[in-house]
Structure formats: C-alpha cells, structure tokens
Amino acid sequence: MARPLRFEYAGAVYQVMARGDGGKAIFIAKDVHLLFLHWLGEVCRSRGWRVHAWTLMRNHFHLPGELGLRPGAG
C-alpha cells in the first residue's frame, strides 16, 4: 500500500533523502557527484526550489530545502 501524498505548499521545508539499493553506491566517482549537483541546480532554478544544504555520501544523499514560492512550482 502506498503512503498518502504529502501536503505541499510554498515555503514548506522538506528533508529529501535517498539510498542506493541494498546499500550499493549511487555516487561511484567524483564526476558523478558533480553531475548530480549540476542537475540539482538546474532543477532548483526551473522549479523555484531552495536547497539549504546537501550531504552526498557514497551510497546516499540528504537535501533539506524548500518548495518554490511560485504557484505550481513545487
């Protein structure tokens, strides 16, 4: 059974986290870290998100941040 959808609103603060399947690496090289950060920047600009910090580990990441203030941006 899927969990209920989160209530979303402009300025809401969320902790986004993901891990590799079974503890496997998701960032296998520094280039992959840099590509992820580039992609994250593009998404944040296009969606109006604000990431307050990030932690990129070999097998997981954490991204605390806010949804965009524009309607429909979150």
Side-chain angles (χ1 to χ4, degrees):
M1 172 184 267
R3 67 166 180 77
L5 294 176
R6 288 187 175 94
F7 181 72
E8 295 180 0
Y9 58 92
V13 177
Y14 294 94
Q15 166 73 10
V16 177
M17 188 274 264
R19 291 187 190 275
D21 185 34
K24 292 179 185 165
I26 56 175
F27 299 112
I28 56 175
K30 184 170 181 144
D31 294 2
V32 178
H33 282 91
L34 297 174
L35 182 61
F36 179 84
L37 291 174
H38 173 76
W39 168 81
L40 179 62
E42 293 293 318
V43 170
C44 288
R45 277 188 286 282
S46 70
R47 304 284 292 179
W49 296 350
R50 184 179 301 164
V51 173
H52 296 288
W54 65 80
T55 301
L56 305 180
M57 306 296 282
R58 184 168 143 67
N59 68 341
H60 69 285
F61 64 84
H62 298 270
L63 303 169
E66 297 176 49
L67 293 181
L69 299 176
R70 298 184 304 242

